[in-house]
Amino acid sequence: QVRLVESGGGLVQAGGSLRLSCAASGRIFSINAMNWYRQAPGKQRELVAEMPSGGFTKYTDSVKGRFTASRDSASHTTYLQMNSLRPEDTAVYYCHAAGLRTALSGAYEDYWGQGTQVTVSS
């Protein structure tokens, strides 16, 4: 019954901005970390931002100073504010819940969003 629903992707010109959202729904008890990944055609999936619970957000070098990840723990919603976008940022962006525990299960599981396409034109 847990779902991660992403939104906010689209087509923008270089230098523009987008904000991605990922809402986790279901009877969620806790999440160890919320992360953002991206995967460009022909490339490996890349960790963009890692937001551990109670820790500091870590960004990959290529987006530092341009992207800002945030987390609303009360609603289990995460955001990725993307500024000064470049064509190299074009990819499918995924949110990822690491170590999610539901109110009914004692297990910790990983969940992925469906992905949202971000295309940056030159």
Side-chain angles (χ1 to χ4, degrees), residues 48-108:
V48 176
E50 181 180 14
M51 294 177 286
S53 296
F56 296 99
T57 302
K58 182 179 181 299
Y59 301 92
T60 190
D61 287 343
S62 62
V63 308
K64 287 180 179 177
R66 301 188 299 118
F67 290 10
T68 303
S70 58
R71 180 179 181 179
D72 183 343
S73 59
S75 64
H76 299 297
T77 302
T78 64
Y79 305 92
L80 186 66
Q81 179 67 46
M82 309 164 66
N83 299 324
S84 301
L85 284 163
R86 307 165 180 170
E88 295 76 31
D89 296 317
T90 296
V92 177
Y93 284 72
Y94 301 89
C95 67
H96 170 245
L100 188 152
R101 184 184 180 187
T102 69
L104 297 177
S105 174
Y108 294 87

Side-chain angles (χ1 to χ4, degrees), residues 2 5 18 20 24 27 29 36 42 48-49 52-53 55 58 67-68 72 76 81 89 97 102 107 110 112 114 117-118:
V2 174
V5 180
L18 286 173
L20 306 182
R27 299 183 66 180
F29 182 78
W36 285 97
V48 176
S53 296
K58 182 179 181 299
F67 290 10
T68 303
D72 183 343
H76 299 297
Q81 179 67 46
D89 296 317
T102 69
D110 284 30
W112 291 86
Q114 79 285 356
Q117 177 71 49
V118 172

